[in-house]
Amino acid sequence: MSGPVLEVRELTVRYGGTLGCDAVSFDVHEGEVLGIVGESGSGKSTVLGCCGLDLHPSGGWVRLSGMDTAGVVGAQRRRLRNEGIGIVRQAAHEELRLEISAGGNIVERLLATGYRGFQAIRDRAERVYTEVELPAGRMDAAVATFSGGMRQRVQIARALVSEPAVLLLDEPTTGLDVSVQARILDLIRGLQRRTGVAMVVVSHDLAVIRMLADQLLVMRDGRVVESGVTDRVLSDPRHPYTQLLVSSRLEV
Amino acid sequence: MLRIRGLSKSFTNHLRGGDTRAVLSQVDLDVAAGQCVVLTGASGSGKSSLLRCVYGSYTVDAGRIELDTPSGVADLAAVPDRELIRIRREHVGMVTQFLSVPPRISAVDLVTEQGVPAAWATELLTDLGLQPELHGLAPATFSGGERQLVNIAIALARPRPLLLLDEITASLDHGRRSTVLSVLRERKESGTALLAIFHELPDHPGLIDEVCQLAAGRLKETV
């Protein structure tokens, strides 16, 4: 087995006097999906922010494909972010430019990772556009005209087009209609299985985590209170907070 | 194949003031390759908990769960998470009464996801008695019994040497039940170890080798 593509050790982030996350450690290998659950303010987005190179740790480190990300700054950091990491956020407008076309959003990322040649780029973007099952003929339409579910698909296409080592998903289906949510989850699950891309999924929805993640971290007040194989943590929760979380789930 | 020694498991409910309930106490049990051991006992006697401990869905308080694998003996009560995931993929399959996969993916795709060719998946689904016209459809539209056949096919897709079966025939009608039990018997005869719970002890010649009774989390005499 090769080494982890994402290594997080003793990760600590302080926002002034408040603690964003405290001594969080985990590894994600190729083909694995790690879930992070916890209520808002638990630090899960802070951890994801450090993995996505948006935030700088106050302590500890993040390694991407064996490379320490702490010293990587400026253009090099942007390049690492474009090549090594794909990000899908709850709010599509944070990752996409809504006024430009779906194809443009996808191509933009390819250009940022150093792809050249109009036809090669267009072909590749088209392939990924089709792979995320977006409607044919809408590739040149502005993302602003797309529905919420379609915007998530554009985000996924943009994130995966450069074949990153790690895909980070921050509440990827939150706020979508239930039926749209299910189809986006199926797409993510299918793409993960086909490509073997390592993923970190942050969600407050245990059903999303159960479907996607093989391993799970439960966070509270910036700390990991419980971790393990997903079905073990969810069927035999040991920490009082995890027990509360699992018992609070509304069964459908 | 599987040796369980001194297995104990309890649950501590922190939402009820840390009250602790023992579900398994000092269980010793062996299952050999090519053997089918059935657990019986009243509801709440710990049958399902025992299967879940073996599969790693429950952590255990004490004891060892030794599984023979080509790379040596693994103690399922103590293996690291990543190793447990690998062992499940290669060596241990579990089937329950509940569809544990997205119901929107076609039956044949759910089976091939286990890493087997489509032709193989089709053959397995056919052997288990799922009508060919359903293979390409998603289980969301299936009856309870048809879904259950998909569940079983997923667990049987890879030749896993140990199968844990928790009331897998409960939702099947008589004819389907007999088909599934025949497939299980064939697997057993070719060396698969089975540890099973049945709602009603099936009268299927050549399937069951040993019946162990659990009462209040303890194993009683072997029948």
Side-chain angles (χ1 to χ4, degrees):
Chain A
M1 191 189 290
S2 56
V5 289
L6 179 65
E7 262 177 292
V8 173
R9 281 294 172 286
E10 297 294 313
L11 180 70
T12 302
V13 176
R14 286 183 207 89
Y15 301 111
T18 32
L19 204 57
C21 65
D22 185 18
V24 173
S25 298
F26 60 84
D27 288 343
V28 188
H29 293 250
E30 190 185 338
E32 291 183 348
V33 182
L34 176 79
I36 307 181
V37 293
E39 55 204 23
S40 30
S42 61
K44 50 194 199 312
S45 295
T46 299
V47 171
L48 208 67
C50 289
C51 297
L53 307 182
D54 294 329
L55 297 171
H56 287 273
S58 319
W61 45 261
V62 174
R63 270 189 200 154
L64 201 61
S65 302
M67 185 203 274
D68 191 350
T69 60
V72 184
V73 290
Q76 221 192 334
R77 193 174 180 88
R78 279 196 298 279
R79 196 180 168 92
L80 184 62
R81 192 176 179 278
N82 278 320
E83 285 180 0
I85 307 161
I87 301 180
V88 176
R89 300 180 195 277
Q90 179 184 347
H93 64 82
E94 291 175 11
E95 202 56 30
L96 299 177
R97 292 206 285 147
L98 302 186
E99 71 284 5
I100 69 169
S101 70
N105 272 284
I106 300 169
V107 163
E108 194 177 54
R109 190 167 149 99
L110 277 178
L111 290 171
T113 55
Y115 261 77
R116 292 295 176 261
F118 177 80
Q119 203 51 50
I121 287 179
R122 179 80 195 178
D123 288 351
R124 194 178 173 85
E126 254 169 28
R127 196 167 70 233
V128 179
Y129 180 91
T130 314
E131 241 173 16
V132 299
E133 296 153 21
L134 278 161
R138 293 289 301 275
M139 192 165 155
D140 296 317
V143 175
T145 66
F146 282 26
S147 70
M150 285 164 67
R151 290 178 190 190
Q152 291 313 77
R153 289 175 192 270
V154 178
Q155 275 205 83
I156 294 167
R158 177 182 159 93
L160 289 177
V161 74
S162 60
E163 298 182 342
V166 185
L167 182 62
L168 306 174
L169 304 152
D170 193 357
E171 304 278 2
T173 59
T174 305
L176 300 173
D177 290 345
V178 180
S179 61
V180 177
Q181 214 171 49
R183 289 203 299 272
I184 296 287
L185 280 178
D186 290 348
L187 174 72
I188 294 170
R189 182 177 177 277
L191 288 170
Q192 198 278 330
R193 284 178 182 243
R194 274 207 300 284
T195 62
V197 64
M199 293 192 342
V200 180
V201 189
V202 161
S203 182
H204 70 280
D205 185 343
L206 294 183
V208 170
I209 294 294
R210 195 185 277 277
M211 181 167 146
L212 295 176
D214 7 84
Q215 296 182 70
L216 178 59
L217 301 183
V218 181
M219 289 191 67
R220 190 183 200 198
D221 297 334
R223 295 189 178 84
V224 174
V225 296
E226 187 158 0
S227 66
V229 177
T230 303
D231 71 289
R232 175 185 282 181
V233 174
L234 296 183
S235 46
D236 187 11
R238 300 159 78 77
H239 188 276
Y241 176 67
T242 317
Q243 292 189 351
L244 181 66
L245 202 68
V246 170
S247 68
S248 311
R249 186 161 42 112
L250 300 173
E251 296 289 353
V252 194
Chain B
M1 172 72 62
L2 179 72
R3 287 173 302 281
I4 301 173
R5 292 290 176 273
L7 178 64
S8 296
K9 168 66 186 166
S10 64
F11 289 105
T12 302
N13 190 333
H14 295 287
L15 306 179
R16 283 203 310 237
D19 116 49
T20 296
R21 189 169 48 91
V23 292
L24 293 169
S25 309
Q26 290 294 322
V27 172
D28 294 338
L29 182 73
D30 287 359
V31 187
Q35 191 189 21
C36 174
V37 175
V38 172
L39 299 170
T40 60
S43 120
S45 59
K47 308 183 294 288
S48 291
S49 293
L50 181 53
L51 293 193
R52 287 178 192 159
C53 286
V54 175
Y55 195 58
S57 299
Y58 286 173
T59 51
V60 308
D61 300 346
R64 295 194 314 278
I65 303 171
E66 293 178 353
L67 179 74
D68 295 332
T69 75
S71 50
V73 177
D75 180 1
L76 299 176
V79 290
D81 296 340
R82 209 161 260 123
E83 180 67 3
L84 177 65
I85 291 169
R86 192 190 66 80
I87 287 174
R88 284 179 176 181
R89 181 169 171 79
E90 302 300 332
H91 303 291
V92 186
M94 174 138 169
V95 192
T96 68
Q97 311 168 54
F98 311 103
L99 189 70
S100 56
V101 293
R104 302 168 297 269
I105 297 167
S106 81
V108 76
D109 285 350
L110 286 168
V111 179
T112 53
E113 272 185 357
Q114 296 292 314
V116 299
W120 189 334
T122 303
E123 191 183 324
L124 179 57
L125 288 166
T126 307
D127 287 349
L128 288 168
L130 189 73
Q131 307 91 292
E133 58 270 27
L134 295 182
H135 292 188
L137 300 179
T141 58
F142 289 8
S143 72
E146 290 159 352
R147 281 186 189 205
Q148 186 58 4
L149 297 179
V150 177
N151 253 346
I152 297 168
I154 291 168
L156 294 181
R158 298 177 79 90
R160 296 179 173 101
L162 173 64
L163 291 175
L164 308 168
L165 311 169
D166 192 351
E167 299 205 3
I168 66 163
T169 55
S171 59
L172 302 179
D173 59 37
H174 186 76
R176 282 213 171 104
R177 191 170 297 184
S178 164
T179 308
V180 166
L181 294 174
S182 296
V183 171
L184 290 177
R185 194 185 59 210
E186 280 166 29
R187 286 295 173 102
K188 187 195 84 153
E189 283 163 356
S190 59
T192 303
L194 308 176
L195 181 57
I197 302 168
F198 290 106
H199 180 62
E200 234 172 83
L201 217 54
D203 179 21
H204 196 85
L207 177 64
I208 299 171
D209 299 303
E210 198 178 320
V211 177
C212 296
Q213 199 186 354
L214 274 165
R218 289 176 184 277
L219 210 53
K220 292 171 76 171
E221 77 288 356
T222 300
V223 183

